[in-house]
Amino acid sequence: MSLKEGDYVLLLTSDEKSYLVEIKDQDFHTHKDFLNLKDLIGKTYGDVIYGKKGEKFYILKPTIYDFIKKIERITQIIYPKDIGYILLKLNIGPGKIVLECGGGSGALTSAFAYIVGEEGKVISYEKELKFQEVAKKNLKKLGLLHRVIFKNVEVLENFEEKEVDAVFLDVKTPWVLIKGSWEALKGGHPLGILVPTANQVSQCLSELEKCPFIEIEVVEILLRHYKTNPERLRPEDRMVAHTGYLIFAKKVFEK
Amino acid sequence: MSLKEGDYVLLLTSDEKSYLVEIKDQDFHTHKDFLNLKDLIGKTYGDVIYGKKGEKFYILKPTIYDFIKKIERITQIIYPKDIGYILLKLNIGPGKIVLECGGGSGALTSAFAYIVGEEGKVISYEKELKFQEVAKKNLKKLGLLHRVIFKNVEVLENFEEKEVDAVFLDVKTPWVLIKGSWEALKGGHPLGILVPTANQVSQCLSELEKCPFIEIEVVEILLRHYKTNPERLRPEDRMVAHTGYLIFAKKVFEK
Amino acid sequence: MSLKEGDYVLLLTSDEKSYLVEIKDQDFHTHKDFLNLKDLIGKTYGDVIYGKKGEKFYILKPTIYDFIKKIERITQIIYPKDIGYILLKLNIGPGKIVLECGGGSGALTSAFAYIVGEEGKVISYEKELKFQEVAKKNLKKLGLLHRVIFKNVEVLENFEEKEVDAVFLDVKTPWVLIKGSWEALKGGHPLGILVPTANQVSQCLSELEKCPFIEIEVVEILLRHYKTNPERLRPEDRMVAHTGYLIFAKKVFEK
Amino acid sequence: MSLKEGDYVLLLTSDEKSYLVEIKDQDFHTHKDFLNLKDLIGKTYGDVIYGKKGEKFYILKPTIYDFIKKIERITQIIYPKDIGYILLKLNIGPGKIVLECGGGSGALTSAFAYIVGEEGKVISYEKELKFQEVAKKNLKKLGLLHRVIFKNVEVLENFEEKEVDAVFLDVKTPWVLIKGSWEALKGGHPLGILVPTANQVSQCLSELEKCPFIEIEVVEILLRHYKTNPERLRPEDRMVAHTGYLIFAKKVFEK
C-alpha cells in the first residue's frame, strides 16, 4: 500500500529519534539530515528513505500510541500506561458512547475516538477554548474528528447527555461532577476519574460514598523502561514516578 | 434495556464479591445467599435483586476488564495492566488484523476480539488443544467467537498469514518466532512479546537485533491498589510484583 | 569460636526455613526433623548439624536483620527496608542518644540499640505495657537491654529528655508530638516519623510547617525480591506494596 | 556546643539548596548570597546566619546520609536506600570487621566506617588509585580515615584477610571473587554484592550455587519522594528507577 499525500508517517532517524509528519511538499529538518516530505509519496511503511546528506530515515506506521506521545499539547496529557487501563475498565470498544469532561489537549480523546469506531461517539467537554482547539487539531491529524462531539462548556452540575456507556473526569474538582456523572451514565456502567493528588482521591471517595456507586477502585500504575542491550539488561536510570491516581466505580440505582 | 435470557451480568454481593453469570433457569449460590438466575430477566443493569434470604445483589454490566478477570483459565493469563498497554502499542483498533501465538486461555484474545470490531479479525495460534478449547468457551461467552480464527498448530518457523497489522507472542521461546513474525507483519508495523524472565528478554533482544526490527522497547508495568477509605487513604498491603516483561519493536525492510 | 549455652543461632533447614533459637537443653522440632539444642555447643557458625532423623540443619550467625525478622511481635513492626533508611537519615551511629515514641514490639528499638553501641543510649516510650514487655524480651535476646531506657508513659505533649541526637515517632497521631520532639532535639538534628496513611502525612506536614523544622522529606520505599534461579531470573510473584510513609525533618531555632 | 574551625556543617539556603562545608577562613558563594565560613565559629547547629546580602543560611548537623549525598565522587556511588539495607543484611555494627572490594569514591566505605565505631575496622580494596584517593579525602572529612585500611590492589582470586564479619563486592565481575569471599568470611557470616545488570545477577547466582553459600537473596529497592505540600500530597514527577540489584548469601562450611 503506497503512501500518498496527506498520510501521516513516523520518521525514525538512525539514532532512534522519531517524528510524526504529514506527507506534503515541505522540507523537514532534523539534527541528522533533512528531506522533502513529498519524496515519501509512493514509499511503503517499513521502507527506508535517505536524506539529502545521505542519512537514513525509517518510515513507520504511526500507532495510536505514537499519536498520543507526539500529540501537540498545551496541558498535561494522560500517559499511555494509564490510558490502556482506562480503556479496559471503562469497557471502551466499537460502538460505545463515551463522555469525558476535561478533554485538555485530546490525548485520551484520541484513544477513545480510535477505539469506539465509526459507530461509536465521544462527547468531550472542555471549558478552555484554547485547549479544545488543540484537541481538535490533534483529532483531525488522526482523521477521527467526526467521531467526537466537542463542547466548550464549563459543566457546573449536570451533563446534557443521558444513558452514556462510560464517563471519564479529568478536572480539578471532579467530586462536584460525580452526581452529574451518575445522572449521565447507564445503570451498572463505569465512571473513571484521574487526579494527581492524594487529597483529591480522598475527596472523590467521600463523594462516591454518598452516591449509589459501587465496586470502587483506586490504583496507580508505574511503568519502567529497560535498556535494550541483551548483554547488559537493566532498567533505565530514571522513570516517571507519578502521573496520577485512577479511580473507578460503577453506577447502581440504589445502594 | 431489559435483561433477557443468555445475557451476561456481573453480580455483586454487599461485601463486593463479584460473579460473572449467564441468565438462565438455574440456581446460583454464593457465601451470602442464592437466587434463581432467570429472576434477572426483565431487570436492568444497575438494579438490585434480592436473594432468597434477603441479601442484596447488584446487577452490573460486565466490562471487558471483568470478563478478563473472571475468565475460565488453565494457563497463566495476561493481566489488564499489561493488556491495556499492549493494545496501544500494537495499535489495536476497529478493523485490524491481529495475529497472536500462544493464545492460552484467551484473555488477550478476548481483548483483541473486543476491540477489532466486526470488521477486524484475530488469528490465534495455540499448540495445546485443551487450552484452545477453554479460550473458545471464553470467547463464546463474550459473543466474540466469530471474530477469532483459532489454529491448533505448533508453529516452528513461519505463520501462514502475511500482511497482518500486528503480531503478539506469548510462548516459551518467542525468539524462534521473531523471524516468522517479521515475515507475517506489514512493513512498519508492530510486534509485541511477553516473557516472564530476564533471561528470555535478553534472548529476544539478541534475536531482534539480527532482524530488521527497530524502535525496540522493553518495559514492565506495576499496578498498585489503594484501600478506599477516604479518611485513611493508603495502598493495599500486598500487590502483584511481577507478571512479565513486555517487548515491542517495529518491522522495517532493511536496517 | 565455639558456640556455648545461651548463644543465639539461626538454624536453617535444607528447604531454607529459618529459626532463631537459643542454645540450651531443650528439644527443637521443625517440619523436617528435630534435635536437642544443647548439641549445638562446641559447634561453630557455618557448621552443619544433623537432626535425629538425619536431616541437615545449617548453623548461621543471626544478623540484626534476622533478629528483626524473627522478633516476637504483637504489633505491626517496621520493616528492614525502612529501618535501614531511617538509620542513615537519623544519623544513628556509635555513641548517639536516640529517643523513640511508640516502641511497639521493639524492632526499630533493636536496630537503634545495636548501632548506638555501648556509649550510646535509646530512650523508648510506649504507652502500652504489654507491647513494652515484648520489646524488653526481644532486646534481652539480643543482649542489648542495657542500652535502652524503657518508659511506659503516654506522652501528651513533651518528653522528659532534652538535647537528644535524634527523635523517631511511630504513633497514631504523631502531629501532636512534633512540637515536643522539637523541644527534645539538639539544634540542627533530625526527626523521623512513620505513618501508614496519606491523610496522616498531610497532618504531619501541616504541623511541621508551623514549627521551625526544615529540609522536610517524605518518601516511601519499595523492596522487590527476585527468584534466585540464574537461568530464569525474575521477580517474585507478589510483594509487600506498602508499609508506611517516612517523614524526615531537621530542627532549627527559627524559620 | 559551639562550632569551631574544622567542623563540618550543612548550610541550607532559604530555597533548600544544601552545601556541606568546612569551617575555615574562606568565602563561600551560592546562587543566593555569600559569607565567610569563619563567621560560623561560635554558632550552634540549628542557628541561622545571614549572608553579606542579607540572605538566611540555616546551620545543620550533617548526618551520615548528608555526607554520602554530598560526597566527592568520580564513580557511580551506592545510594542511601541501598546502603541502609546493606548495613542490616551484613550485620554491620560497632566492633565489626568488614571487607569491601571496589571501594570507589567511598560512599559505602563511609557508612561502614561510621557504624563500626572505634573498635571496628573496614578493609577497602580498590584497584584504581585515583578512586581510592578520592575515597580517602571523603573519609578524612568525616574524621573516620583511621577506621579504614585502604588497599590499592586488584584482587584476582583471594583476599589477604581471614575471619572477617562481612564482605561486600562492588566490582564489574564479582563472580570471580565469590570463592575468595568465602575464604575471607567467618563461618555463617554474610556476603553482599551489588551489580547493575540482570545478566550479572545470573552469573553471580550460578557461582554462588557452586560454593557453600546459602540463604541467597536477590532484591532491588525503589525509593519514591513525595512533594511536601500537605494540601496537594503527591509523589514527585520523576524518580531514580534503578541503581542496582543487591545479592546476599551466607557462608557455610559444606552444602
Side-chain angles (χ1 to χ4, degrees), chain A residues 196-230:
Chain A
T197 76
N199 315 67
Q200 289 167 304
V201 175
S202 286
Q203 280 183 274
C204 288
L205 289 173
S206 295
E207 192 62 28
L208 284 168
E209 280 179 0
K210 290 180 205 153
C211 283
F213 274 106
I214 55 172
E215 240 195 3
I216 297 167
E217 178 182 291
V218 178
V219 301
E220 58 175 343
I221 296 173
L222 292 164
L223 179 94
R224 193 152 73 142
H225 282 92
Y226 279 70
K227 299 187 179 184
T228 57
N229 180 342

CSV table of all heavy atoms in Angstrom, one decimal, chain A residues 196-230:
chain,number,residue,atom,x,y,z
A,196,PRO,N,-4.3,14.1,40.3
A,196,PRO,CA,-2.9,14.0,40.7
A,196,PRO,C,-2.5,13.8,42.2
A,196,PRO,O,-1.5,13.3,42.5
A,196,PRO,CB,-2.2,15.3,40.1
A,196,PRO,CG,-3.4,16.2,39.9
A,196,PRO,CD,-4.6,15.4,39.7
A,197,THR,N,-3.4,14.3,43.0
A,197,THR,CA,-3.0,14.3,44.5
A,197,THR,C,-3.9,13.3,45.3
A,197,THR,O,-5.0,13.0,45.0
A,197,THR,CB,-3.1,15.7,45.1
A,197,THR,OG1,-4.5,16.0,45.3
A,197,THR,CG2,-2.5,16.8,44.2
A,198,ALA,N,-3.2,12.9,46.4
A,198,ALA,CA,-3.9,12.0,47.4
A,198,ALA,C,-5.1,12.7,48.0
A,198,ALA,O,-6.1,12.1,48.3
A,198,ALA,CB,-2.9,11.6,48.5
A,199,ASN,N,-5.0,14.0,48.3
A,199,ASN,CA,-6.1,14.8,48.9
A,199,ASN,C,-7.3,14.7,47.9
A,199,ASN,O,-8.5,14.6,48.4
A,199,ASN,CB,-5.7,16.2,49.1
A,199,ASN,CG,-4.4,16.4,49.7
A,199,ASN,OD1,-3.4,16.1,49.1
A,199,ASN,ND2,-4.3,16.8,51.0
A,200,GLN,N,-7.1,14.8,46.6
A,200,GLN,CA,-8.2,14.8,45.7
A,200,GLN,C,-8.9,13.4,45.7
A,200,GLN,O,-10.1,13.2,45.5
A,200,GLN,CB,-7.8,15.1,44.3
A,200,GLN,CG,-7.4,16.6,44.1
A,200,GLN,CD,-6.7,16.9,42.8
A,200,GLN,OE1,-5.6,16.3,42.6
A,200,GLN,NE2,-7.2,17.7,42.0
A,201,VAL,N,-8.0,12.4,45.8
A,201,VAL,CA,-8.6,11.0,45.9
A,201,VAL,C,-9.5,10.9,47.1
A,201,VAL,O,-10.6,10.4,46.9
A,201,VAL,CB,-7.4,9.9,46.0
A,201,VAL,CG1,-8.0,8.5,46.2
A,201,VAL,CG2,-6.5,10.0,44.8
A,202,SER,N,-9.1,11.4,48.2
A,202,SER,CA,-10.0,11.3,49.4
A,202,SER,C,-11.3,12.0,49.2
A,202,SER,O,-12.4,11.5,49.5
A,202,SER,CB,-9.3,11.9,50.6
A,202,SER,OG,-8.3,11.1,51.1
A,203,GLN,N,-11.2,13.2,48.6
A,203,GLN,CA,-12.4,14.0,48.3
A,203,GLN,C,-13.4,13.2,47.3
A,203,GLN,O,-14.6,13.2,47.5
A,203,GLN,CB,-12.1,15.4,47.8
A,203,GLN,CG,-11.7,16.3,48.9
A,203,GLN,CD,-11.5,17.7,48.4
A,203,GLN,OE1,-10.3,18.0,48.0
A,203,GLN,NE2,-12.5,18.6,48.5
A,204,CYS,N,-12.8,12.6,46.3
A,204,CYS,CA,-13.6,11.8,45.4
A,204,CYS,C,-14.3,10.6,46.1
A,204,CYS,O,-15.4,10.3,45.9
A,204,CYS,CB,-12.8,11.3,44.2
A,204,CYS,SG,-12.3,12.6,43.1
A,205,LEU,N,-13.5,10.0,46.9
A,205,LEU,CA,-14.0,8.8,47.6
A,205,LEU,C,-15.2,9.2,48.5
A,205,LEU,O,-16.2,8.4,48.6
A,205,LEU,CB,-12.9,8.1,48.4
A,205,LEU,CG,-11.8,7.4,47.6
A,205,LEU,CD1,-10.7,6.9,48.5
A,205,LEU,CD2,-12.4,6.2,46.8
A,206,SER,N,-15.0,10.3,49.2
A,206,SER,CA,-16.1,10.7,50.1
A,206,SER,C,-17.4,11.0,49.3
A,206,SER,O,-18.5,10.6,49.7
A,206,SER,CB,-15.7,12.0,50.8
A,206,SER,OG,-14.6,11.8,51.7
A,207,GLU,N,-17.2,11.6,48.2
A,207,GLU,CA,-18.4,11.9,47.3
A,207,GLU,C,-19.0,10.6,46.7
A,207,GLU,O,-20.2,10.5,46.7
A,207,GLU,CB,-18.0,12.9,46.2
A,207,GLU,CG,-19.2,13.5,45.5
A,207,GLU,CD,-20.1,14.4,46.4
A,207,GLU,OE1,-19.6,14.9,47.4
A,207,GLU,OE2,-21.3,14.4,46.1
A,208,LEU,N,-18.1,9.7,46.3
A,208,LEU,CA,-18.6,8.5,45.7
A,208,LEU,C,-19.4,7.7,46.7
A,208,LEU,O,-20.4,7.0,46.4
A,208,LEU,CB,-17.4,7.6,45.2
A,208,LEU,CG,-16.8,8.1,43.9
A,208,LEU,CD1,-15.5,7.3,43.6
A,208,LEU,CD2,-17.7,7.8,42.7
A,209,GLU,N,-19.0,7.8,48.0
A,209,GLU,CA,-19.8,7.1,49.1
A,209,GLU,C,-21.2,7.6,49.2
A,209,GLU,O,-22.1,6.8,49.6
A,209,GLU,CB,-19.1,7.2,50.4
A,209,GLU,CG,-17.9,6.3,50.6
A,209,GLU,CD,-17.2,6.5,51.9
A,209,GLU,OE1,-17.6,7.4,52.7
A,209,GLU,OE2,-16.2,5.8,52.2
A,210,LYS,N,-21.4,8.9,48.9
A,210,LYS,CA,-22.7,9.5,49.1
A,210,LYS,C,-23.7,9.1,47.9
A,210,LYS,O,-24.9,9.2,48.1
A,210,LYS,CB,-22.6,11.0,49.1
A,210,LYS,CG,-21.9,11.5,50.4
A,210,LYS,CD,-21.8,13.0,50.3
A,210,LYS,CE,-20.6,13.5,51.2
A,210,LYS,NZ,-20.1,14.8,50.7
A,211,CYS,N,-23.1,8.8,46.8
A,211,CYS,CA,-24.0,8.4,45.6
A,211,CYS,C,-24.1,6.9,45.5
A,211,CYS,O,-23.2,6.2,46.0
A,211,CYS,CB,-23.3,9.0,44.3
A,211,CYS,SG,-23.5,10.7,44.1
A,212,PRO,N,-25.1,6.4,44.8
A,212,PRO,CA,-25.1,5.0,44.5
A,212,PRO,C,-24.0,4.6,43.5
A,212,PRO,O,-24.4,4.3,42.3
A,212,PRO,CB,-26.5,4.7,44.0
A,212,PRO,CG,-27.3,6.0,44.3
A,212,PRO,CD,-26.3,7.1,44.3
A,213,PHE,N,-22.8,4.5,43.9
A,213,PHE,CA,-21.7,4.0,43.1
A,213,PHE,C,-21.1,2.8,43.9
A,213,PHE,O,-20.9,2.9,45.1
A,213,PHE,CB,-20.6,5.0,42.9
A,213,PHE,CG,-20.9,5.9,41.7
A,213,PHE,CD1,-21.3,7.2,41.9
A,213,PHE,CD2,-20.7,5.4,40.4
A,213,PHE,CE1,-21.5,8.0,40.8
A,213,PHE,CE2,-20.9,6.2,39.3
A,213,PHE,CZ,-21.3,7.5,39.5
A,214,ILE,N,-20.8,1.7,43.2
A,214,ILE,CA,-20.1,0.6,43.9
A,214,ILE,C,-18.9,0.1,43.1
A,214,ILE,O,-18.6,0.7,42.1
A,214,ILE,CB,-21.1,-0.6,44.2
A,214,ILE,CG1,-21.8,-1.0,42.9
A,214,ILE,CG2,-22.2,-0.1,45.2
A,214,ILE,CD1,-22.6,-2.3,43.1
A,215,GLU,N,-18.3,-0.9,43.7
A,215,GLU,CA,-17.1,-1.5,43.1
A,215,GLU,C,-16.0,-0.4,42.9
A,215,GLU,O,-15.4,-0.3,41.8
A,215,GLU,CB,-17.4,-2.2,41.7
A,215,GLU,CG,-17.0,-3.7,41.8
A,215,GLU,CD,-17.0,-4.3,40.4
A,215,GLU,OE1,-17.2,-3.7,39.4
A,215,GLU,OE2,-16.7,-5.5,40.4
A,216,ILE,N,-15.8,0.4,43.9
A,216,ILE,CA,-14.9,1.5,43.8
A,216,ILE,C,-13.5,1.0,43.9
A,216,ILE,O,-13.1,0.1,44.7
A,216,ILE,CB,-15.2,2.5,45.0
A,216,ILE,CG1,-16.6,3.1,44.8
A,216,ILE,CG2,-14.1,3.6,45.0
A,216,ILE,CD1,-17.1,3.8,46.0
A,217,GLU,N,-12.6,1.5,43.0
A,217,GLU,CA,-11.2,1.0,42.9
A,217,GLU,C,-10.3,2.3,42.7
A,217,GLU,O,-10.7,3.2,42.0
A,217,GLU,CB,-11.1,0.1,41.7
A,217,GLU,CG,-9.6,-0.4,41.4
A,217,GLU,CD,-9.5,-1.3,40.2
A,217,GLU,OE1,-10.0,-2.4,40.2
A,217,GLU,OE2,-8.9,-0.8,39.2
A,218,VAL,N,-9.2,2.3,43.5
A,218,VAL,CA,-8.2,3.3,43.3
A,218,VAL,C,-6.9,2.6,43.0
A,218,VAL,O,-6.5,1.7,43.7
A,218,VAL,CB,-8.1,4.2,44.6
A,218,VAL,CG1,-7.0,5.2,44.4
A,218,VAL,CG2,-9.4,4.8,45.0
A,219,VAL,N,-6.3,3.0,41.9
A,219,VAL,CA,-5.0,2.4,41.6
A,219,VAL,C,-4.0,3.5,41.1
A,219,VAL,O,-4.4,4.6,40.7
A,219,VAL,CB,-5.1,1.4,40.4
A,219,VAL,CG1,-6.1,0.3,40.8
A,219,VAL,CG2,-5.6,2.0,39.1
A,220,GLU,N,-2.7,3.1,41.1
A,220,GLU,CA,-1.7,3.9,40.4
A,220,GLU,C,-0.9,2.9,39.6
A,220,GLU,O,-0.7,1.7,40.0
A,220,GLU,CB,-0.9,4.7,41.3
A,220,GLU,CG,-0.1,4.0,42.3
A,220,GLU,CD,0.8,4.8,43.1
A,220,GLU,OE1,1.2,5.9,42.7
A,220,GLU,OE2,1.3,4.4,44.2
A,221,ILE,N,-0.4,3.3,38.5
A,221,ILE,CA,0.3,2.5,37.5
A,221,ILE,C,1.7,3.0,37.3
A,221,ILE,O,1.9,4.2,37.1
A,221,ILE,CB,-0.4,2.4,36.2
A,221,ILE,CG1,-1.8,1.7,36.4
A,221,ILE,CG2,0.4,1.6,35.2
A,221,ILE,CD1,-2.7,1.7,35.2
A,222,LEU,N,2.7,2.2,37.5
A,222,LEU,CA,4.1,2.6,37.3
A,222,LEU,C,4.7,1.8,36.1
A,222,LEU,O,4.5,0.6,36.0
A,222,LEU,CB,4.9,2.2,38.5
A,222,LEU,CG,4.6,3.1,39.8
A,222,LEU,CD1,5.1,2.4,41.0
A,222,LEU,CD2,5.1,4.5,39.6
A,223,LEU,N,5.3,2.5,35.2
A,223,LEU,CA,5.9,1.9,34.0
A,223,LEU,C,7.4,2.1,34.1
A,223,LEU,O,7.9,3.2,34.3
A,223,LEU,CB,5.4,2.6,32.8
A,223,LEU,CG,5.9,2.0,31.5
A,223,LEU,CD1,5.0,0.9,30.9
A,223,LEU,CD2,6.1,3.1,30.4
A,224,ARG,N,8.1,1.0,33.9
A,224,ARG,CA,9.6,1.1,34.0
A,224,ARG,C,10.2,0.6,32.7
A,224,ARG,O,9.9,-0.5,32.3
A,224,ARG,CB,10.1,0.2,35.1
A,224,ARG,CG,11.5,0.5,35.5
A,224,ARG,CD,11.9,0.3,36.9
A,224,ARG,NE,11.9,-1.1,37.3
A,224,ARG,CZ,12.8,-1.7,38.1
A,224,ARG,NH1,13.7,-0.9,38.7
A,224,ARG,NH2,12.8,-2.9,38.4
A,225,HIS,N,11.0,1.4,32.0
A,225,HIS,CA,11.7,1.1,30.8
A,225,HIS,C,13.0,0.4,31.1
A,225,HIS,O,13.7,0.8,32.0
A,225,HIS,CB,11.9,2.3,29.9
A,225,HIS,CG,10.8,2.8,29.2
A,225,HIS,ND1,9.9,3.8,29.7
A,225,HIS,CD2,10.2,2.5,28.0
A,225,HIS,CE1,8.9,4.0,28.8
A,225,HIS,NE2,9.1,3.2,27.8
A,226,TYR,N,13.4,-0.5,30.2
A,226,TYR,CA,14.7,-1.2,30.3
A,226,TYR,C,15.6,-0.8,29.2
A,226,TYR,O,15.1,-0.5,28.1
A,226,TYR,CB,14.5,-2.7,30.3
A,226,TYR,CG,14.1,-3.3,31.7
A,226,TYR,CD1,12.9,-3.0,32.2
A,226,TYR,CD2,15.0,-4.0,32.4
A,226,TYR,CE1,12.5,-3.5,33.5
A,226,TYR,CE2,14.7,-4.5,33.7
A,226,TYR,CZ,13.4,-4.2,34.2
A,226,TYR,OH,13.1,-4.7,35.4
A,227,LYS,N,16.9,-0.7,29.4
A,227,LYS,CA,17.8,-0.6,28.4
A,227,LYS,C,17.8,-1.8,27.5
A,227,LYS,O,17.6,-2.9,28.1
A,227,LYS,CB,19.2,-0.3,28.9
A,227,LYS,CG,19.2,1.0,29.7
A,227,LYS,CD,20.6,1.4,30.2
A,227,LYS,CE,20.5,2.8,30.9
A,227,LYS,NZ,21.8,3.3,31.3
A,228,THR,N,18.1,-1.7,26.3
A,228,THR,CA,17.8,-2.9,25.4
A,228,THR,C,19.1,-3.6,25.0
A,228,THR,O,19.1,-4.3,24.0
A,228,THR,CB,17.0,-2.4,24.1
A,228,THR,OG1,17.7,-1.4,23.5
A,228,THR,CG2,15.6,-1.9,24.5
A,229,ASN,N,20.2,-3.5,25.7
A,229,ASN,CA,21.4,-4.2,25.4
A,229,ASN,C,21.2,-5.6,26.1
A,229,ASN,O,21.2,-5.8,27.3
A,229,ASN,CB,22.6,-3.5,26.0
A,229,ASN,CG,23.9,-4.2,25.8
A,229,ASN,OD1,23.9,-5.4,25.5
A,229,ASN,ND2,25.0,-3.5,25.9
A,230,PRO,N,21.2,-6.7,25.2
A,230,PRO,CA,20.9,-8.0,25.8
A,230,PRO,C,22.0,-8.5,26.7
A,230,PRO,O,21.7,-9.4,27.5
A,230,PRO,CB,20.8,-8.9,24.5
A,230,PRO,CG,21.5,-8.1,23.4
A,230,PRO,CD,21.3,-6.7,23.7
